[in-house]
Amino acid sequence: MTKYVVQGGKPLFGEVEISGAKNAAVAIIPAALLVDGVCRIENIPQISDVTLCLKILEQLGANIRSINHHTVEIDCSHIRTTRTSYELARKIRASYYLIGALLGRFGQAEVAMPGGCNFGGVRPIDQHVKGFSALGAKVIVEGGFIRATTEAGRLKGASVYLDVVSVGATMNIMMAAALAEGNTVIENAAKEPHIVDLANFLNSMGANIRGAGTDTIKIRGVDRLTGGSYAIIPDQIEAGTYMAAVAATGGQVLVKNIIPKHMDCITANLQECGVEVEEREDTLLVRRSGPLQKANVKTMPYPGFPTDMQPQITTVLALAQGTSLVTEGVWSNRYRYVDELRRMGANIQVDEKTAVVEGVDHLTGAPIQAYDLRAGAAMVIAALAAHGHSEITGVQYIERGYEGIIEKLRALGADIRAEEEPEEDEVRGASAG
Ligand code: EPZ
């Protein structure tokens, strides 16, 4: 068990390099199953969710060669099975992409019900199932597995209207349709940068997908995807998290290797809070010297303010002058972390989807828990900004999505370190002894 130990109250200064996008990588790696050949994927983030995705592919029979820390070559020419390991697949939400990819390539898939971050609410996959069914698959849930099959062995293109704008369903249906017979149209599609990235990856392997990034995506099924080389986009949320950290602690940081357009909404909200953001070609210079100002934020599908930045911006607003309102517009419940911020002195009331954030002068260090990935990022930001000492547990969630967070923050002058904590049994043993 690892915990992060933080001595807060130090402004951040320097430069930080943003890694490849987690939510693109965890879709593009499973999408390699559609490719009958070698695909080289660059700018892969070194995070535990990626390690799991690669392990799952290996278990299915993929040949994976690590070229360097951020590049792998995946060869799915000789897949042995379309049934994923229960133990591996249930650990990660993105394992649902294996259904679209396996079904698209082999006409069948058996995948453990996906796990992943649990922020308290339900995470349904009915829209994924709606899409697969429209393409001619029969989908059932049995013994903890989702089983999808086709009679003809190949899906048939169809029109799918999504009842909710879903990132996962959009990507999954796109994967399934890439090798289907005929044309597929996805309407009311999600428009996140990682959707465009997946379409670009598939197109670079020989797919014919148009309109990704708009709400109508058209896919002309092809017979085969062959190999190629592709580099994953930078992580919008990782970049936003470092921007929020500078907002909370003060200081000046150059956030490098980003696509400024992807950051527009986050930048605009932070500017409203009194943070200065200067855009250059593929960097943002983020500076905060004066007091933070209140702002109202509502999370929405892209190009709106991302839900995956909601805990981080709420932490910033907890330190702003005045009363801010945060509204969660994507998930039914994503405020579990607020109790932890309250332990540090934050004044936040949550009423269903809205948090009323009464800014306080400062937070005070405390023992706090990361309940999920982005809540964990918020805990790190709060601890960096707080007066005094904090210890963060549950950091395995943070390491699912943030490459080298300790090293990157230390390079910016933060006083943060990872410490091994004895397992509960060892603690019990010690006290008994
Ligand atoms: C992806 O989850 C991300 N995960 C999440 O990021 C992110 O919060 C979310 O998109 C929204 O941007 C991955 O990419 C692995 P959705 P996903 O389908 O695809 C409802 C992080 O921190 N819905 O866009 O599972 C759903 O309940 C993670 O990096 C249905 O009703 O999200 C939610 O209210 C956490 N039926 C809304 O749609 C469905 O079949 C959006 O969900 C699917 C979704």
Side-chain angles (χ1 to χ4, degrees):
M1 295 279 276
T2 308
K3 67 180 175 186
Y4 291 170
V5 179
V6 185
Q7 189 64 34
K10 284 189 162 188
L12 300 176
F13 286 98
E15 298 183 355
V16 63
E17 187 88 25
I18 298 307
S19 302
K22 164 196 167 254
N23 286 344
V26 298
I28 286 175
I29 294 168
L33 283 165
L34 288 159
V35 182
D36 189 7
V38 179
C39 38
R40 182 185 172 98
I41 310 174
E42 296 168 11
N43 205 28
I44 289 195
Q46 280 233 343
I47 50 175
S48 60
D49 269 14
V50 158
T51 310
L52 258 174
C53 283
L54 291 169
K55 267 195 189 147
I56 295 173
L57 254 63
E58 253 177 348
Q59 173 258 320
L60 294 171
N63 192 352
I64 297 178
R65 205 157 74 93
S66 189
I67 304 299
N68 59 44
H69 280 337
H70 296 112
T71 306
V72 291
E73 280 183 359
I74 305 179
D75 183 356
C76 292
S77 315
H78 304 289
I79 291 301
R80 282 190 301 268
T81 171
T82 54
R83 182 184 165 96
T84 61
S85 137
Y86 183 79
E87 273 315 308
L88 290 177
R90 75 184 184 88
K91 285 191 185 146
I92 174 175
R93 178 76 185 161
S95 57
Y96 53 42
Y97 293 129
L98 297 160
I99 312 171
L102 288 168
L103 191 58
R105 170 100 180 267
F106 303 104
Q108 57 183 43
E110 262 187 278
V111 178
M113 281 294 275
C117 281
N118 174 8
F119 0 93
V122 191
R123 296 185 68 177
I125 57 161
D126 57 296
Q127 297 303 305
H128 304 232
V129 174
K130 177 179 172 176
F132 299 144
S133 307
L135 294 168
K138 192 171 157 218
V139 186
I140 54 165
V141 178
E142 215 174 55
F145 277 83
I146 300 170
R147 288 198 172 89
T149 46
T150 47
E151 258 173 35
R154 187 179 181 189
L155 295 167
K156 258 204 158 81
S159 280
V160 183
Y161 182 90
L162 296 180
D163 303 320
V164 286
V165 179
S166 160
V167 171
T170 303
M171 302 230 256
N172 227 342
I173 298 166
M174 201 194 289
M175 287 189 213
L179 292 174
E181 189 188 332
N183 298 335
T184 297
V185 180
I186 309 173
E187 286 185 87
N188 201 26
K191 299 184 275 228
E192 269 65 6
H194 30 295
I195 287 173
V196 180
D197 211 33
L198 173 66
N200 287 342
F201 166 77
L202 290 170
N203 283 343
S204 74
M205 302 290 143
N208 186 339
I209 302 174
R210 300 280 169 266
T214 76
D215 49 22
T216 304
I217 301 179
K218 295 183 177 165
I219 304 140
R220 185 182 290 268
V222 296
D223 290 336
R224 187 166 167 249
L225 298 183
T226 49
S229 183
Y230 191 77
I232 288 174
I233 51 166
D235 197 310
Q236 173 208 28
I237 306 298
E238 189 198 11
T241 300
Y242 284 99
M243 292 169 78
V246 183
T249 62
Q252 177 173 307
V253 170
L254 187 67
V255 183
K256 291 166 75 176
N257 181 36
I258 48 123
I259 298 175
K261 179 89 198 118
H262 294 168
M263 306 309 301
D264 278 355
C265 199
I266 297 169
T267 298
N269 274 272
L270 286 172
Q271 284 171 328
E272 205 186 326
C273 298
V275 179
E276 292 164 57
V277 184
E278 213 178 287
E279 183 181 315
R280 297 178 189 165
E281 212 169 285
D282 64 351
T283 61
L284 289 177
L285 184 66
V286 186
R287 186 184 312 123
R288 206 266 290 168
S289 45
L292 286 166
Q293 306 299 331
K294 66 177 177 156
N296 294 338
V297 178
K298 179 165 188 206
T299 71
M300 277 183 286
Y302 191 81
F305 190 88
T307 172
D308 293 345
M309 277 297 296
Q310 184 258 95
Q312 301 93 311
I313 194 85
T314 303
T315 306
V316 172
L317 294 172
L319 290 161
Q321 291 180 343
T323 307
S324 306
L325 288 183
V326 178
T327 310
E328 175 54 51
V330 176
W331 295 105
S332 57
N333 183 344
R334 205 174 186 176
Y335 288 116
R336 202 170 160 204
Y337 65 92
V338 163
D339 280 345
E340 302 303 295
L341 291 181
R342 285 206 196 102
R343 285 168 187 276
M344 305 177 82
N347 184 354
I348 306 173
Q349 304 304 321
V350 175
D351 183 13
E352 294 193 354
K353 292 192 161 194
T354 305
V356 181
V357 188
E358 194 81 56
V360 293
D361 176 62
H362 66 272
L363 297 174
T364 312
I368 42 178
Q369 163 93 28
Y371 282 116
D372 66 61
L373 168 60
R374 308 304 172 187
M379 292 306 111
V380 172
I381 293 171
L384 291 173
H387 293 183
H389 177 94
S390 295
E391 294 194 359
I392 308 173
T393 47
V395 303
Q396 70 278 9
Y397 289 113
I398 301 172
E399 293 172 0
R400 294 179 67 153
Y402 289 91
E403 173 175 337
I405 187 166
I406 296 280
E407 294 74 19
K408 289 185 186 184
L409 285 170
R410 284 177 71 88
L412 297 175
D415 186 344
I416 181 169
R417 63 177 198 277
E419 229 177 55
E420 286 310 311
E421 231 189 358
E423 297 287 339
E424 238 174 63
D425 283 354
E426 289 174 40
V427 174
R428 254 189 251 124
S431 61

